Amino acid sequence: METIRISESKIKVMLSREDMTKYRIPRASADGSDPSLRTAIRSILRDAGRAGGFDPDSGQLYIQLYPDKRGGCELFVTRTDDADGRGKAAPRTVSTRVEIFSFPSLDGLISFADRISHSFCGESAAYTNGKAYFLTLAGGDLSEMCALPCALLCALADEYGGALEGFGKDLYIAEYCRRITPDGKRDAIALLSSLR
């Protein structure tokens, strides 16, 4: 385990595959819903806090976990209380399901957005890693967000690209991609389909 103190209120903890085993971090539940993950993070923070001079017990914490390619992970831990004791509002996240579709070209992304623009009612955003384009659809179950049957939506996506599968796909987008639709706009599909 390696700890880097970024600021008075933030540390980065890098865990190897061996650390993941030692602390019994379940890889399948990086969203924080598994109680054993919370217990493991408490143990890590106690050990990392001693090493990095960071007191994890002195206020609320905002924790971000990103799996890495070698089987370990990186934890970013931010204490959300100001130094003078006045609490800052902790960043709020809503646990929602995110579907991510990948496209080899911008034209494929725009075409897919245009095809589903009248059927989709959730939040969406577009990203790129410089080589491919990605569309995230966020909300509840896909069947609740889209008037199209799930199989038809995926078949449409396959015409232009395809659905990303697997653990950590949303973390990949967060770490390696940049957003190409405005941050304040929640409906990338309407914006992209207007380019058609």
Side-chain angles (χ1 to χ4, degrees):
M1 175 170 54
E2 186 179 338
T3 304
I4 298 171
R5 188 166 190 158
I6 297 171
S7 70
E8 286 295 314
S9 61
K10 187 170 189 172
I11 61 170
K12 175 182 178 180
V13 180
M14 293 164 286
L15 301 170
S16 66
R17 181 181 298 199
E18 293 76 25
D19 293 325
M20 298 284 283
T21 303
K22 173 185 172 185
Y23 289 104
R24 297 187 179 126
I25 297 176
R27 300 256 328 152
S29 64
D31 64 353
S33 62
D34 187 332
S36 65
L37 177 62
R38 294 175 192 194
T39 302
I41 288 175
R42 276 190 222 107
S43 297
I44 291 166
L45 291 179
R46 278 193 295 276
D47 294 347
R50 277 187 234 121
F54 182 83
D55 182 9
D57 298 322
S58 65
Q60 288 186 323
L61 300 176
Y62 177 61
I63 300 169
Q64 298 166 288
L65 184 147
Y66 299 100
D68 68 18
K69 295 175 184 171
R70 296 176 308 273
C73 73
E74 294 180 348
L75 286 172
F76 290 88
V77 181
T78 306
R79 190 175 41 246
T80 58
D81 288 344
D82 289 328
D84 65 2
R86 292 179 303 133
K88 279 195 296 193
R92 296 285 179 211
T93 57
V94 177
S95 180
T96 59
R97 182 171 175 179
V98 177
E99 295 295 333
I100 302 175
F101 297 93
S102 173
F103 306 92
S105 69
L106 182 59
D107 188 54
L109 169 64
I110 292 170
S111 296
F112 178 70
D114 187 48
R115 293 280 300 270
I116 67 168
S117 63
H118 300 293
S119 306
F120 182 76
C121 63
E123 294 181 16
S124 56
Y127 300 85
T128 185
N129 63 3
K131 298 176 186 167
Y133 295 87
F134 304 91
L135 180 66
T136 61
L137 306 180
D141 188 349
L142 251 183
S143 63
E144 297 169 4
M145 297 184 294
C146 189
L148 297 172
C150 189
L152 180 56
L153 182 69
C154 290
L156 284 173
D158 286 343
E159 285 184 34
Y160 304 102
L164 282 184
E165 300 294 334
F167 173 74
K169 60 188 177 184
D170 52 332
L171 300 176
Y172 173 84
I173 297 294
E175 186 166 346
Y176 296 106
C177 298
R178 68 177 172 81
R179 189 170 176 151
I180 59 174
T181 52
D183 281 337
K185 189 157 179 61
R186 294 181 171 194
D187 189 3
I189 290 176
L191 177 66
L192 292 166
S193 67
S194 71
L195 299 174
R196 217 20 165 176

